[in-house]
Amino acid sequence: ISKEGYSSPFTHEEISKQLIKAKNKNISVIGLGGISDTNIELWKNWNLAGVGLLGAIWNSENPIAQFERILKIHQSV
């Protein structure tokens, strides 16, 4: 599901600039990859249309509990 050791070729600054361009063109952006309970707040602050989570949930010891934890964090921000 998740690629171990994979990192984004983009900096947070580059992503932020592209998100501003997309918003100005009314393009919805979904975040995918590297999103977890430890950084969901960062993604929420970027006003994405949504996020896709795979490894952060399915690779956890208890996928349902992990999903509920991430959802709770997401809703509280």
Side-chain angles (χ1 to χ4, degrees):
I1 291 175
S2 293
K3 298 174 188 126
E4 288 188 34
Y6 179 81
S7 62
S8 173
F10 307 104
T11 66
H12 286 246
E13 183 178 308
E14 291 169 326
I15 294 170
S16 293
K17 287 179 184 178
Q18 293 303 316
L19 288 172
I20 291 168
K21 288 180 184 180
K23 184 175 182 180
N24 290 338
K25 294 180 180 182
N26 290 326
I27 297 172
S28 297
V29 177
I30 305 291
L32 178 63
I35 302 167
S36 69
D37 58 336
T38 61
N39 64 10
I40 190 77
E41 292 174 7
L42 170 66
W43 295 94
K44 177 84 174 198
N45 292 335
W46 276 345
N47 296 313
L48 297 172
V51 295
L53 299 160
L54 292 172
I57 294 172
W58 296 113
N59 290 337
S60 70
E61 191 172 304
N62 185 336
I64 293 171
Q66 182 68 351
F67 170 77
E68 290 172 346
R69 174 177 162 68
I70 293 170
L71 182 62
K72 184 176 179 180
I73 293 168
H74 177 71
Q75 291 174 334
S76 70
V77 176

